[in-house]
Amino acid sequence: MTASRVVMRDTGGGFGQKAVPQREEMCVMLAARKMPGPLKWIEDRQENLIAAGQGRHEHGDARIAFDEDGRCSPT
């Protein structure tokens, strides 16, 4: 395994996509391991806002069961 260097610049204020790596970022990380030289992901602000976690349509289903006392119970 080769050494990796991660540079984290100042992320600014309290808004934006700083918490969780998205699919594209994971692909870039995997591709960087295969490339002989540096690899860079470039997107403009509009592309970032459209593709960011807050801008994607995500859907999830959940099932919760409650007992007679109103406590959550395993399904």
Short mmCIF file of all heavy atoms in Angstrom, two decimals:
data_model
loop_
_atom_site.label_atom_id
_atom_site.label_comp_id
_atom_site.label_asym_id
_atom_site.label_seq_id
_atom_site.Cartn_x
_atom_site.Cartn_y
_atom_site.Cartn_z
N MET A 1 0.84 -1.17 0.00
CA MET A 1 0.00 0.00 0.00
C MET A 1 0.88 1.24 0.00
O MET A 1 1.86 1.31 0.72
CB MET A 1 -0.90 -0.03 1.23
CG MET A 1 -1.85 1.11 1.30
SD MET A 1 -2.97 0.82 2.68
CE MET A 1 -3.99 2.20 2.50
N THR A 2 0.51 2.23 -0.81
CA THR A 2 1.29 3.46 -0.88
C THR A 2 0.72 4.50 0.07
O THR A 2 -0.44 4.42 0.46
CB THR A 2 1.29 4.02 -2.30
OG1 THR A 2 -0.06 4.29 -2.68
CG2 THR A 2 1.90 3.04 -3.28
N ALA A 3 1.52 5.46 0.42
CA ALA A 3 1.08 6.53 1.31
C ALA A 3 0.13 7.47 0.57
O ALA A 3 0.26 7.68 -0.63
CB ALA A 3 2.28 7.29 1.84
N SER A 4 -0.82 8.03 1.29
CA SER A 4 -1.76 8.99 0.72
C SER A 4 -1.67 10.28 1.51
O SER A 4 -1.42 10.26 2.71
CB SER A 4 -3.20 8.47 0.80
OG SER A 4 -3.34 7.31 0.04
N ARG A 5 -1.89 11.37 0.84
CA ARG A 5 -1.89 12.67 1.50
C ARG A 5 -3.23 13.33 1.26
O ARG A 5 -3.66 13.46 0.11
CB ARG A 5 -0.77 13.55 0.93
CG ARG A 5 -0.73 14.91 1.55
CD ARG A 5 0.49 15.69 1.03
NE ARG A 5 0.44 17.04 1.54
CZ ARG A 5 0.43 18.13 0.79
NH1 ARG A 5 0.48 18.00 -0.53
NH2 ARG A 5 0.39 19.30 1.32
N VAL A 6 -3.92 13.73 2.31
CA VAL A 6 -5.21 14.40 2.21
C VAL A 6 -5.03 15.82 2.72
O VAL A 6 -4.54 16.03 3.82
CB VAL A 6 -6.28 13.68 3.05
CG1 VAL A 6 -7.59 14.44 3.01
CG2 VAL A 6 -6.44 12.24 2.57
N VAL A 7 -5.44 16.79 1.91
CA VAL A 7 -5.36 18.20 2.30
C VAL A 7 -6.78 18.69 2.50
O VAL A 7 -7.59 18.66 1.59
CB VAL A 7 -4.65 19.04 1.21
CG1 VAL A 7 -4.64 20.50 1.60
CG2 VAL A 7 -3.25 18.51 0.97
N MET A 8 -7.09 19.15 3.70
CA MET A 8 -8.42 19.67 4.02
C MET A 8 -8.30 21.17 4.19
O MET A 8 -7.67 21.64 5.14
CB MET A 8 -8.94 19.01 5.29
CG MET A 8 -10.32 19.42 5.65
SD MET A 8 -11.43 18.85 4.36
CE MET A 8 -12.93 19.54 4.95
N ARG A 9 -8.87 21.90 3.27
CA ARG A 9 -8.82 23.35 3.35
C ARG A 9 -9.94 23.85 4.26
O ARG A 9 -10.85 23.12 4.61
CB ARG A 9 -8.95 23.95 1.96
CG ARG A 9 -7.75 23.62 1.10
CD ARG A 9 -7.80 24.38 -0.22
NE ARG A 9 -6.56 24.23 -0.95
CZ ARG A 9 -6.32 23.27 -1.83
NH1 ARG A 9 -7.23 22.38 -2.09
NH2 ARG A 9 -5.16 23.21 -2.44
N ASP A 10 -9.90 25.13 4.61
CA ASP A 10 -10.94 25.76 5.42
C ASP A 10 -12.28 25.57 4.74
O ASP A 10 -12.44 25.89 3.56
CB ASP A 10 -10.62 27.25 5.59
CG ASP A 10 -11.62 27.96 6.49
OD1 ASP A 10 -12.39 27.28 7.18
OD2 ASP A 10 -11.60 29.20 6.50
N THR A 11 -13.26 25.04 5.46
CA THR A 11 -14.56 24.74 4.85
C THR A 11 -15.55 25.87 4.96
O THR A 11 -16.63 25.79 4.42
CB THR A 11 -15.17 23.47 5.47
OG1 THR A 11 -15.27 23.67 6.87
CG2 THR A 11 -14.35 22.25 5.16
N GLY A 12 -15.23 26.92 5.68
CA GLY A 12 -16.10 28.08 5.71
C GLY A 12 -17.20 27.97 6.76
O GLY A 12 -17.00 27.41 7.82
N GLY A 13 -18.36 28.52 6.40
CA GLY A 13 -19.47 28.66 7.35
C GLY A 13 -20.19 27.37 7.68
O GLY A 13 -19.71 26.28 7.41
N GLY A 14 -21.37 27.50 8.24
CA GLY A 14 -22.13 26.34 8.72
C GLY A 14 -23.05 25.72 7.68
O GLY A 14 -23.81 24.83 8.02
N PHE A 15 -23.03 26.19 6.46
CA PHE A 15 -23.88 25.62 5.43
C PHE A 15 -23.03 24.89 4.41
O PHE A 15 -21.85 25.14 4.27
CB PHE A 15 -24.69 26.71 4.72
CG PHE A 15 -25.60 27.44 5.64
CD1 PHE A 15 -25.25 28.66 6.16
CD2 PHE A 15 -26.81 26.88 6.01
CE1 PHE A 15 -26.09 29.34 7.02
CE2 PHE A 15 -27.66 27.54 6.87
CZ PHE A 15 -27.31 28.78 7.37
N GLY A 16 -23.63 23.96 3.69
CA GLY A 16 -22.90 23.29 2.62
C GLY A 16 -22.75 21.80 2.88
O GLY A 16 -23.28 21.26 3.84
N GLN A 17 -22.01 21.17 2.00
CA GLN A 17 -21.86 19.72 2.00
C GLN A 17 -20.49 19.36 2.56
O GLN A 17 -19.54 19.24 1.83
CB GLN A 17 -22.01 19.17 0.58
CG GLN A 17 -23.31 19.54 -0.06
CD GLN A 17 -23.33 20.95 -0.61
OE1 GLN A 17 -22.33 21.51 -0.96
NE2 GLN A 17 -24.49 21.55 -0.66
N LYS A 18 -20.41 19.22 3.88
CA LYS A 18 -19.12 18.94 4.49
C LYS A 18 -19.13 17.64 5.28
O LYS A 18 -18.12 17.20 5.76
CB LYS A 18 -18.74 20.08 5.43
CG LYS A 18 -18.57 21.41 4.75
CD LYS A 18 -18.14 22.47 5.73
CE LYS A 18 -19.27 23.04 6.50
NZ LYS A 18 -20.20 23.86 5.80
N ALA A 19 -20.28 17.02 5.43
CA ALA A 19 -20.41 15.93 6.40
C ALA A 19 -20.07 14.56 5.83
O ALA A 19 -19.25 13.85 6.38
CB ALA A 19 -21.81 15.93 6.99
N VAL A 20 -20.72 14.17 4.77
CA VAL A 20 -20.63 12.78 4.29
C VAL A 20 -20.12 12.75 2.86
O VAL A 20 -20.63 13.46 2.00
CB VAL A 20 -22.02 12.12 4.35
CG1 VAL A 20 -21.97 10.71 3.84
CG2 VAL A 20 -22.59 12.18 5.75
N PRO A 21 -19.12 11.91 2.55
CA PRO A 21 -18.69 11.79 1.15
C PRO A 21 -19.82 11.25 0.28
O PRO A 21 -20.55 10.34 0.68
CB PRO A 21 -17.54 10.78 1.22
CG PRO A 21 -17.11 10.74 2.63
CD PRO A 21 -18.32 11.10 3.45
N GLN A 22 -19.98 11.82 -0.89
CA GLN A 22 -21.00 11.38 -1.82
C GLN A 22 -20.45 10.29 -2.74
O GLN A 22 -19.26 10.00 -2.73
CB GLN A 22 -21.51 12.57 -2.64
CG GLN A 22 -22.15 13.65 -1.80
CD GLN A 22 -23.42 13.18 -1.11
OE1 GLN A 22 -24.16 12.34 -1.63
NE2 GLN A 22 -23.68 13.71 0.07
N ARG A 23 -21.30 9.72 -3.58
CA ARG A 23 -20.90 8.62 -4.46
C ARG A 23 -19.74 9.00 -5.38
O ARG A 23 -18.81 8.24 -5.57
CB ARG A 23 -22.10 8.19 -5.32
CG ARG A 23 -23.20 7.59 -4.52
CD ARG A 23 -24.44 7.38 -5.39
NE ARG A 23 -25.57 7.56 -4.50
CZ ARG A 23 -26.57 8.38 -4.72
NH1 ARG A 23 -26.62 9.07 -5.82
NH2 ARG A 23 -27.54 8.51 -3.85
N GLU A 24 -19.83 10.22 -5.95
CA GLU A 24 -18.80 10.65 -6.88
C GLU A 24 -17.45 10.76 -6.17
O GLU A 24 -16.41 10.40 -6.73
CB GLU A 24 -19.16 12.01 -7.49
CG GLU A 24 -20.40 11.98 -8.34
CD GLU A 24 -21.69 12.14 -7.54
OE1 GLU A 24 -21.63 12.27 -6.30
OE2 GLU A 24 -22.76 12.14 -8.17
N GLU A 25 -17.46 11.27 -4.97
CA GLU A 25 -16.21 11.42 -4.23
C GLU A 25 -15.60 10.06 -3.91
O GLU A 25 -14.38 9.89 -3.95
CB GLU A 25 -16.46 12.22 -2.95
CG GLU A 25 -16.87 13.65 -3.26
CD GLU A 25 -17.55 14.35 -2.11
OE1 GLU A 25 -18.14 13.71 -1.23
OE2 GLU A 25 -17.49 15.59 -2.11
N MET A 26 -16.43 9.09 -3.61
CA MET A 26 -15.94 7.74 -3.35
C MET A 26 -15.33 7.15 -4.63
O MET A 26 -14.29 6.50 -4.57
CB MET A 26 -17.06 6.83 -2.84
CG MET A 26 -17.66 7.30 -1.51
SD MET A 26 -16.45 7.44 -0.20
CE MET A 26 -16.20 5.74 0.20
N CYS A 27 -15.96 7.40 -5.78
CA CYS A 27 -15.41 6.92 -7.06
C CYS A 27 -14.06 7.56 -7.35
O CYS A 27 -13.14 6.89 -7.82
CB CYS A 27 -16.39 7.21 -8.20
SG CYS A 27 -17.88 6.20 -8.15
N VAL A 28 -13.93 8.86 -7.06
CA VAL A 28 -12.66 9.54 -7.28
C VAL A 28 -11.59 8.95 -6.37
O VAL A 28 -10.45 8.72 -6.79
CB VAL A 28 -12.80 11.06 -7.06
CG1 VAL A 28 -11.45 11.75 -7.07
CG2 VAL A 28 -13.70 11.65 -8.12
N MET A 29 -11.94 8.68 -5.12
CA MET A 29 -10.97 8.08 -4.20
C MET A 29 -10.50 6.72 -4.70
O MET A 29 -9.30 6.40 -4.65
CB MET A 29 -11.57 7.94 -2.80
CG MET A 29 -11.72 9.25 -2.08
SD MET A 29 -12.31 8.98 -0.41
CE MET A 29 -13.88 9.80 -0.46
N LEU A 30 -11.43 5.91 -5.19
CA LEU A 30 -11.06 4.58 -5.71
C LEU A 30 -10.23 4.70 -6.98
O LEU A 30 -9.24 3.98 -7.16
CB LEU A 30 -12.31 3.74 -5.95
CG LEU A 30 -13.08 3.34 -4.70
CD1 LEU A 30 -14.42 2.72 -5.08
CD2 LEU A 30 -12.27 2.39 -3.85
N ALA A 31 -10.62 5.63 -7.86
CA ALA A 31 -9.88 5.81 -9.12
C ALA A 31 -8.48 6.33 -8.84
O ALA A 31 -7.53 5.95 -9.54
CB ALA A 31 -10.63 6.78 -10.02
N ALA A 32 -8.32 7.17 -7.82
CA ALA A 32 -7.01 7.73 -7.51
C ALA A 32 -6.01 6.65 -7.13
O ALA A 32 -4.81 6.78 -7.39
CB ALA A 32 -7.13 8.75 -6.38
N ARG A 33 -6.49 5.57 -6.56
CA ARG A 33 -5.59 4.47 -6.19
C ARG A 33 -5.07 3.74 -7.43
O ARG A 33 -4.03 3.10 -7.39
CB ARG A 33 -6.31 3.50 -5.27
CG ARG A 33 -6.68 4.15 -3.94
CD ARG A 33 -7.28 3.16 -3.02
NE ARG A 33 -6.25 2.17 -2.73
CZ ARG A 33 -6.05 1.64 -1.56
NH1 ARG A 33 -6.80 1.98 -0.56
NH2 ARG A 33 -5.12 0.74 -1.37
N LYS A 34 -5.82 3.81 -8.53
CA LYS A 34 -5.44 3.10 -9.76
C LYS A 34 -4.60 3.96 -10.71
O LYS A 34 -3.95 3.43 -11.59
CB LYS A 34 -6.69 2.64 -10.52
CG LYS A 34 -7.62 1.76 -9.71
CD LYS A 34 -7.10 0.38 -9.64
CE LYS A 34 -8.11 -0.54 -8.95
NZ LYS A 34 -7.58 -1.85 -8.75
N MET A 35 -4.66 5.28 -10.53
CA MET A 35 -3.98 6.18 -11.45
C MET A 35 -2.51 6.34 -11.05
O MET A 35 -2.20 6.38 -9.87
CB MET A 35 -4.67 7.55 -11.45
CG MET A 35 -6.12 7.51 -11.88
SD MET A 35 -6.36 6.93 -13.56
CE MET A 35 -5.66 8.28 -14.46
N PRO A 36 -1.63 6.48 -12.05
CA PRO A 36 -0.21 6.65 -11.73
C PRO A 36 0.13 8.04 -11.20
O PRO A 36 1.15 8.23 -10.57
CB PRO A 36 0.49 6.39 -13.06
CG PRO A 36 -0.53 6.70 -14.09
CD PRO A 36 -1.86 6.36 -13.48
N GLY A 37 -0.72 9.03 -11.46
CA GLY A 37 -0.45 10.40 -11.02
C GLY A 37 -1.63 10.98 -10.26
O GLY A 37 -2.60 10.29 -10.00
N PRO A 38 -1.54 12.25 -9.91
CA PRO A 38 -2.61 12.90 -9.16
C PRO A 38 -3.92 12.92 -9.94
O PRO A 38 -3.94 12.97 -11.17
CB PRO A 38 -2.11 14.32 -8.95
CG PRO A 38 -0.64 14.25 -9.15
CD PRO A 38 -0.41 13.14 -10.13
N LEU A 39 -5.01 12.87 -9.22
CA LEU A 39 -6.35 12.91 -9.80
C LEU A 39 -7.13 14.00 -9.09
O LEU A 39 -7.02 14.16 -7.88
CB LEU A 39 -7.03 11.55 -9.59
CG LEU A 39 -8.37 11.31 -10.24
CD1 LEU A 39 -8.23 11.36 -11.76
CD2 LEU A 39 -8.92 9.97 -9.82
N LYS A 40 -7.92 14.77 -9.86
CA LYS A 40 -8.62 15.90 -9.28
C LYS A 40 -10.07 15.89 -9.75
O LYS A 40 -10.34 15.69 -10.93
CB LYS A 40 -7.93 17.18 -9.72
CG LYS A 40 -8.43 18.43 -9.06
CD LYS A 40 -7.64 19.62 -9.58
CE LYS A 40 -7.51 20.68 -8.54
NZ LYS A 40 -6.73 21.82 -9.04
N TRP A 41 -11.01 16.11 -8.84
CA TRP A 41 -12.43 16.24 -9.16
C TRP A 41 -12.74 17.73 -9.23
O TRP A 41 -12.45 18.47 -8.29
CB TRP A 41 -13.27 15.57 -8.07
CG TRP A 41 -14.74 15.75 -8.26
CD1 TRP A 41 -15.52 16.74 -7.73
CD2 TRP A 41 -15.62 14.92 -9.02
NE1 TRP A 41 -16.82 16.58 -8.10
CE2 TRP A 41 -16.91 15.47 -8.90
CE3 TRP A 41 -15.44 13.79 -9.79
CZ2 TRP A 41 -18.01 14.91 -9.53
CZ3 TRP A 41 -16.55 13.22 -10.39
CH2 TRP A 41 -17.81 13.77 -10.26
N ILE A 42 -13.32 18.17 -10.34
CA ILE A 42 -13.65 19.58 -10.52
C ILE A 42 -15.13 19.70 -10.85
O ILE A 42 -15.63 19.01 -11.74
CB ILE A 42 -12.81 20.22 -11.65
CG1 ILE A 42 -11.33 20.09 -11.33
CG2 ILE A 42 -13.21 21.67 -11.86
CD1 ILE A 42 -10.43 20.53 -12.47
N GLU A 43 -15.82 20.56 -10.12
CA GLU A 43 -17.21 20.87 -10.42
C GLU A 43 -17.44 22.33 -10.08
O GLU A 43 -16.79 22.88 -9.18
CB GLU A 43 -18.17 19.98 -9.64
CG GLU A 43 -18.06 20.09 -8.16
CD GLU A 43 -18.89 19.08 -7.40
OE1 GLU A 43 -19.39 18.11 -7.99
OE2 GLU A 43 -19.04 19.27 -6.20
N ASP A 44 -18.37 22.97 -10.82
CA ASP A 44 -18.67 24.36 -10.49
C ASP A 44 -19.72 24.39 -9.38
O ASP A 44 -20.22 23.35 -8.94
CB ASP A 44 -19.08 25.17 -11.72
CG ASP A 44 -20.37 24.66 -12.37
OD1 ASP A 44 -21.24 24.12 -11.67
OD2 ASP A 44 -20.51 24.84 -13.60
N ARG A 45 -20.04 25.58 -8.93
CA ARG A 45 -20.96 25.71 -7.79
C ARG A 45 -22.34 25.12 -8.11
O ARG A 45 -22.93 24.44 -7.28
CB ARG A 45 -21.09 27.18 -7.40
CG ARG A 45 -22.01 27.40 -6.22
CD ARG A 45 -21.89 28.83 -5.70
NE ARG A 45 -22.91 29.15 -4.73
CZ ARG A 45 -22.94 28.71 -3.48
NH1 ARG A 45 -21.99 27.91 -3.05
NH2 ARG A 45 -23.91 29.05 -2.66
N GLN A 46 -22.85 25.37 -9.29
CA GLN A 46 -24.18 24.86 -9.65
C GLN A 46 -24.17 23.33 -9.70
O GLN A 46 -25.09 22.70 -9.20
CB GLN A 46 -24.64 25.43 -10.99
CG GLN A 46 -26.04 24.99 -11.33
CD GLN A 46 -26.60 25.71 -12.53
OE1 GLN A 46 -25.97 26.60 -13.08
NE2 GLN A 46 -27.79 25.33 -12.92
N GLU A 47 -23.15 22.75 -10.30
CA GLU A 47 -23.05 21.29 -10.32
C GLU A 47 -22.99 20.73 -8.90
O GLU A 47 -23.63 19.72 -8.59
CB GLU A 47 -21.80 20.85 -11.08
CG GLU A 47 -21.88 21.09 -12.57
CD GLU A 47 -20.55 20.87 -13.26
OE1 GLU A 47 -19.49 21.15 -12.66
OE2 GLU A 47 -20.57 20.41 -14.41
N ASN A 48 -22.25 21.40 -8.03
CA ASN A 48 -22.13 20.95 -6.65
C ASN A 48 -23.48 21.00 -5.94
O ASN A 48 -23.86 20.05 -5.25
CB ASN A 48 -21.11 21.80 -5.90
CG ASN A 48 -21.04 21.43 -4.44
OD1 ASN A 48 -21.70 22.06 -3.63
ND2 ASN A 48 -20.27 20.42 -4.11
N LEU A 49 -24.21 22.09 -6.10
CA LEU A 49 -25.49 22.22 -5.41
C LEU A 49 -26.53 21.24 -5.94
O LEU A 49 -27.36 20.75 -5.18
CB LEU A 49 -26.00 23.66 -5.53
CG LEU A 49 -25.16 24.69 -4.77
CD1 LEU A 49 -25.63 26.10 -5.09
CD2 LEU A 49 -25.19 24.43 -3.28
N ILE A 50 -26.48 20.93 -7.23
CA ILE A 50 -27.43 19.97 -7.81
C ILE A 50 -27.11 18.55 -7.34
O ILE A 50 -28.00 17.78 -7.01
CB ILE A 50 -27.41 20.05 -9.35
CG1 ILE A 50 -28.02 21.37 -9.80
CG2 ILE A 50 -28.15 18.87 -9.97
CD1 ILE A 50 -27.85 21.65 -11.29
N ALA A 51 -25.82 18.21 -7.30
CA ALA A 51 -25.42 16.84 -6.99
C ALA A 51 -25.22 16.58 -5.50
O ALA A 51 -25.05 15.44 -5.10
CB ALA A 51 -24.14 16.50 -7.73
N ALA A 52 -25.23 17.62 -4.69
CA ALA A 52 -24.97 17.46 -3.26
C ALA A 52 -26.07 16.64 -2.58
O ALA A 52 -27.17 16.51 -3.10
CB ALA A 52 -24.86 18.83 -2.60
N GLY A 53 -25.74 16.11 -1.43
CA GLY A 53 -26.70 15.30 -0.69
C GLY A 53 -28.01 16.01 -0.44
O GLY A 53 -29.09 15.42 -0.54
N GLN A 54 -27.96 17.31 -0.14
CA GLN A 54 -29.19 18.05 0.11
C GLN A 54 -29.97 18.31 -1.18
O GLN A 54 -31.15 18.60 -1.13
CB GLN A 54 -28.89 19.40 0.78
CG GLN A 54 -28.33 19.28 2.16
CD GLN A 54 -26.81 19.32 2.18
OE1 GLN A 54 -26.16 18.86 1.26
NE2 GLN A 54 -26.23 19.86 3.24
N GLY A 55 -29.30 18.21 -2.33
CA GLY A 55 -29.96 18.48 -3.59
C GLY A 55 -30.49 17.24 -4.29
O GLY A 55 -31.20 17.33 -5.28
N ARG A 56 -30.16 16.06 -3.79
CA ARG A 56 -30.59 14.82 -4.42
C ARG A 56 -31.93 14.37 -3.86
O ARG A 56 -32.23 14.60 -2.70
CB ARG A 56 -29.58 13.70 -4.14
CG ARG A 56 -28.26 13.95 -4.76
CD ARG A 56 -27.31 12.85 -4.39
NE ARG A 56 -25.98 13.25 -4.81
CZ ARG A 56 -25.11 12.44 -5.34
NH1 ARG A 56 -25.40 11.17 -5.51
NH2 ARG A 56 -23.94 12.86 -5.71
N HIS A 57 -32.68 13.72 -4.70
CA HIS A 57 -33.91 13.12 -4.23
C HIS A 57 -33.56 11.78 -3.59
O HIS A 57 -33.08 10.87 -4.26
CB HIS A 57 -34.89 12.91 -5.38
CG HIS A 57 -36.14 12.21 -4.96
ND1 HIS A 57 -37.10 12.83 -4.20
CD2 HIS A 57 -36.55 10.95 -5.13
CE1 HIS A 57 -38.06 11.97 -3.94
NE2 HIS A 57 -37.76 10.82 -4.50
N GLU A 58 -33.71 11.70 -2.33
CA GLU A 58 -33.46 10.45 -1.60
C GLU A 58 -34.77 10.01 -0.97
O GLU A 58 -35.55 10.83 -0.50
CB GLU A 58 -32.41 10.66 -0.51
CG GLU A 58 -31.04 11.08 -1.02
CD GLU A 58 -30.29 9.95 -1.71
OE1 GLU A 58 -30.68 8.77 -1.54
OE2 GLU A 58 -29.31 10.25 -2.40
N HIS A 59 -35.00 8.74 -0.97
CA HIS A 59 -36.24 8.20 -0.43
C HIS A 59 -35.92 7.01 0.46
O HIS A 59 -35.06 6.20 0.13
CB HIS A 59 -37.16 7.75 -1.58
CG HIS A 59 -38.43 7.13 -1.11
ND1 HIS A 59 -39.49 7.89 -0.68
CD2 HIS A 59 -38.79 5.84 -0.97
CE1 HIS A 59 -40.47 7.07 -0.32
NE2 HIS A 59 -40.07 5.83 -0.49
N GLY A 60 -36.58 6.94 1.57
CA GLY A 60 -36.38 5.80 2.46
C GLY A 60 -37.70 5.39 3.10
O GLY A 60 -38.58 6.22 3.31
N ASP A 61 -37.84 4.12 3.36
CA ASP A 61 -39.02 3.59 4.04
C ASP A 61 -38.59 3.03 5.39
O ASP A 61 -37.50 2.48 5.52
CB ASP A 61 -39.66 2.45 3.23
CG ASP A 61 -40.28 2.96 1.94
OD1 ASP A 61 -40.94 4.00 1.97
OD2 ASP A 61 -40.09 2.29 0.90
N ALA A 62 -39.43 3.20 6.37
CA ALA A 62 -39.14 2.67 7.70
C ALA A 62 -40.39 2.03 8.27
O ALA A 62 -41.51 2.48 8.01
CB ALA A 62 -38.66 3.78 8.62
N ARG A 63 -40.20 0.99 9.04
CA ARG A 63 -41.31 0.34 9.76
C ARG A 63 -40.97 0.39 11.24
O ARG A 63 -39.88 0.01 11.64
CB ARG A 63 -41.47 -1.10 9.31
CG ARG A 63 -41.81 -1.20 7.83
CD ARG A 63 -41.98 -2.61 7.45
NE ARG A 63 -43.40 -2.89 7.67
CZ ARG A 63 -43.98 -4.04 7.38
NH1 ARG A 63 -43.28 -5.01 6.91
NH2 ARG A 63 -45.26 -4.21 7.58
N ILE A 64 -41.91 0.87 12.02
CA ILE A 64 -41.72 0.96 13.46
C ILE A 64 -42.90 0.29 14.13
O ILE A 64 -44.06 0.55 13.79
CB ILE A 64 -41.63 2.43 13.92
CG1 ILE A 64 -40.52 3.16 13.17
CG2 ILE A 64 -41.41 2.52 15.42
CD1 ILE A 64 -40.47 4.64 13.42
N ALA A 65 -42.60 -0.55 15.08
CA ALA A 65 -43.67 -1.21 15.85
C ALA A 65 -43.67 -0.63 17.25
O ALA A 65 -42.63 -0.32 17.82
CB ALA A 65 -43.42 -2.71 15.90
N PHE A 66 -44.85 -0.47 17.79
CA PHE A 66 -45.01 0.04 19.15
C PHE A 66 -45.75 -0.97 19.99
O PHE A 66 -46.67 -1.64 19.51
CB PHE A 66 -45.80 1.36 19.13
CG PHE A 66 -45.09 2.46 18.41
CD1 PHE A 66 -45.34 2.72 17.08
CD2 PHE A 66 -44.18 3.26 19.08
CE1 PHE A 66 -44.69 3.73 16.41
CE2 PHE A 66 -43.52 4.29 18.42
CZ PHE A 66 -43.78 4.52 17.08
N ASP A 67 -45.37 -1.09 21.24
CA ASP A 67 -46.11 -1.96 22.14
C ASP A 67 -47.30 -1.20 22.71
O ASP A 67 -47.53 -0.03 22.38
CB ASP A 67 -45.20 -2.54 23.24
CG ASP A 67 -44.64 -1.51 24.18
OD1 ASP A 67 -45.16 -0.36 24.22
OD2 ASP A 67 -43.68 -1.83 24.90
N GLU A 68 -48.06 -1.83 23.55
CA GLU A 68 -49.28 -1.21 24.08
C GLU A 68 -49.01 0.01 24.95
O GLU A 68 -49.88 0.84 25.17
CB GLU A 68 -50.14 -2.23 24.85
CG GLU A 68 -49.44 -2.92 25.99
CD GLU A 68 -48.63 -4.14 25.58
OE1 GLU A 68 -48.70 -4.56 24.42
OE2 GLU A 68 -47.90 -4.64 26.43
N ASP A 69 -47.78 0.15 25.45
CA ASP A 69 -47.41 1.32 26.24
C ASP A 69 -46.83 2.46 25.39
O ASP A 69 -46.41 3.48 25.93
CB ASP A 69 -46.38 0.94 27.31
CG ASP A 69 -46.95 -0.04 28.32
OD1 ASP A 69 -48.17 0.11 28.66
OD2 ASP A 69 -46.22 -0.93 28.77
N GLY A 70 -46.78 2.27 24.08
CA GLY A 70 -46.28 3.29 23.18
C GLY A 70 -44.78 3.31 23.02
O GLY A 70 -44.21 4.23 22.45
N ARG A 71 -44.10 2.27 23.50
CA ARG A 71 -42.65 2.17 23.34
C ARG A 71 -42.33 1.46 22.03
O ARG A 71 -43.07 0.57 21.60
CB ARG A 71 -42.03 1.41 24.50
CG ARG A 71 -42.13 2.15 25.83
CD ARG A 71 -41.50 1.32 26.90
NE ARG A 71 -42.28 0.08 27.03
CZ ARG A 71 -42.47 -0.58 28.16
NH1 ARG A 71 -41.94 -0.16 29.28
NH2 ARG A 71 -43.18 -1.69 28.18
N CYS A 72 -41.21 1.86 21.41
CA CYS A 72 -40.78 1.19 20.19
C CYS A 72 -40.42 -0.24 20.52
O CYS A 72 -39.82 -0.53 21.56
CB CYS A 72 -39.56 1.88 19.59
SG CYS A 72 -39.92 3.48 18.88
N SER A 73 -40.79 -1.12 19.62
CA SER A 73 -40.50 -2.53 19.83
C SER A 73 -39.94 -3.10 18.54
O SER A 73 -40.27 -2.61 17.45
CB SER A 73 -41.79 -3.21 20.26
OG SER A 73 -42.14 -4.28 19.49
N PRO A 74 -39.03 -4.06 18.61
CA PRO A 74 -38.46 -4.62 17.37
C PRO A 74 -39.54 -5.22 16.49
O PRO A 74 -40.49 -5.81 16.97
CB PRO A 74 -37.50 -5.70 17.86
CG PRO A 74 -37.40 -5.55 19.33
CD PRO A 74 -38.54 -4.71 19.80
N THR A 75 -39.37 -5.05 15.17
CA THR A 75 -40.36 -5.63 14.23
C THR A 75 -39.96 -7.04 13.88
O THR A 75 -38.85 -7.43 13.96
CB THR A 75 -40.45 -4.78 12.94
OG1 THR A 75 -39.16 -4.68 12.38
CG2 THR A 75 -41.03 -3.44 13.23
#
